[in-house]
Amino acid sequence: MLDAAQAADTTGLATTALRLTALLDPAGHPHTLWNAPALLAYLTTHQTPLHQDKTATQPAHVTAEQTHSALRLLHRYALLTCDTRTEPRAVSIHALTARVTRESIPATDIPALTAAVADALLQIWPNPDQHHVDHTAVLRASTRALSDHTGDHLWHPGGHPVLYLAGNSLLNAGLAASATMYWQDMVADTKRLLGGEHPDTLTARGNLASSYRQAGQTGEAITIEDRLVTDMERLLGGEHRYTLTARVNLAASYRQAGRTGEAISLLERVADDTERLLGGENRSTLTARVNLATSYRQAGRTGEAIDLLERLMADMERLLGGEHPSTLTARASLAASYQQAGRTGEAITIEERVVIDRERLLGGEHPDTLTARANLAASYQQAGRTGEAITIEERVVIDRERLLGGEHPDTLTARGSLASSYHEAGQTVEAITIEERLVADMERLLGGEHPDTLTARSNLAASYCTADRIGQAISLLERVVADRERLLGGEHPSTLTARANLASSYQQADRIEEAITIEEQVLADRERLLGGEHPSTPTARCNLAVSYWRVGRMAEAISLLERAMADMERLLGGEHLDTLTVREVLARWRSAEDGT
């Protein structure tokens, strides 16, 4: 067949085109590859001698139309399939035909063929690639095939950039398990071929750590990143961009492990260094500041997080575009900060947009899409839209268990959020069933002092209260308050919430004076730290008012509840369930005070 195709070939490209195709994924590659300058340049210098102009000093430049003609010729002779309607797998080849073709390629031609294909893949790879899920999956498959078929030829003089691009693409796609295996192989190859201290080896080690972090294996990530930062500072210097990136990644792992203070210290240093060295509008500088803001939020420094993110958003949209993954991440972080600050309406407006954008750009199963849905559900719950929250959270739990596994930190968080919504909806038995298992899992997987473990204990205690298991609730909450004060500080929003929950438990156990002591402090702290507009502040007033009423301080109780109702009407609306409840209680108290 090849002989017949060569005889009919008017372009002189058929044999070379077949060899190039044989190095790629037999299931198919994009037809656009044949428009890539690297491939056209290689074909220009590798036409069969019969088709070259002997009088020309330079061979005539091969055009995309000529390559298409060569592919169509090979298609007619059944040596490959060329059908642009099936893009991005428009050009495919039978695996046996590809093997026979590869075996016929002279060994001396392999290095140049390999370089041409690798360069062409690099040239057509979309940036950012998260917006082109099917296209990049095909490019990754062809990169893997090229590496498998050409031995170590992609490693001279160093690792070809397409190898690193393919691995990063797995991370961008949220394919943590595949990314981990890929970067384990890359670390082994770079150490074998380039040595343990080569910059390419350092980069591969960093990407392996990122894969571990994405897979929820935070301890493994930190072990690699701690050593990597030390090695990069020694080999490249403290101001090299690779060193700065390594510090950012280590900070991300610290944050995931609940070591927020260490993350902030690193990121404040990195943000200053990148701005000084690269400029305030460099992408690395913007990313470092987004990560710093996220850490501020996790540490309860919500106002600082919001100030930083609001300043960053305009720059990111102008410099990177509204649909860039880093812009979407910043927007989602700003929404989460608004939610933590009690600005629930603003959070929901942003989060609904983020969910739509991520579903459209990344697909419904990407981890960032699942996170966006989970954040929206949390805001719905905070706004009293508990039914909508539960609908989303039940789906998120199922998706995360299927895609990430039952022990991934994101899966545990999703279960906790669903249980919290069940509790709000009065489904206390379902909430307790999830929360008891969750506390055990988090203590085993994350440790007893991780912020998420403390949150899980606090939520379980709240459910115990609702189920009238007051002794168990108080025992848990006293431990949670002590841990949060020690680990997060007395002014962290989570610490204030834990104290408020403990006071409610004391109140339920008829330990009213102890409840009042805590509730007065919680209200003062929330007014000072969160402000009167935060939803938690009127809630604190309501709780203190109830305790005052129970010890006969009726006038103070009514005064507090009147102010709380006015705040709720303004913040939540007159039809919100919490507003209606407070209005009804206030009416009863006024009647009781009047003796009617």
Side-chain angles (χ1 to χ4, degrees), residues 51 53 119 135 169 192 260 338 355 373 384 421 508 539 573 580:
H51 296 84
D53 183 351
D119 288 346
H135 189 70
S169 179
R192 174 174 60 87
T260 312
Y338 281 156
V355 167
R373 291 194 192 117
S421 293
Q508 196 167 338
T539 299
L580 297 174

Side-chain angles (χ1 to χ4, degrees), residues 437-451:
R437 175 187 169 194
L438 189 63
V439 168
D441 287 344
M442 285 187 165
E443 289 176 339
R444 175 173 54 87
L445 297 167
L446 304 180
E449 296 191 342
H450 192 284

Side-chain angles (χ1 to χ4, degrees), residues 72-95:
R72 290 302 302 167
L73 174 70
L74 294 167
H75 177 92
R76 286 199 300 274
Y77 282 89
L79 291 166
L80 55 73
T81 299
C82 177
D83 185 354
T84 56
R85 295 172 300 178
T86 62
E87 196 77 308
R89 295 189 181 274
V91 183
S92 60
I93 186 171
H94 193 282

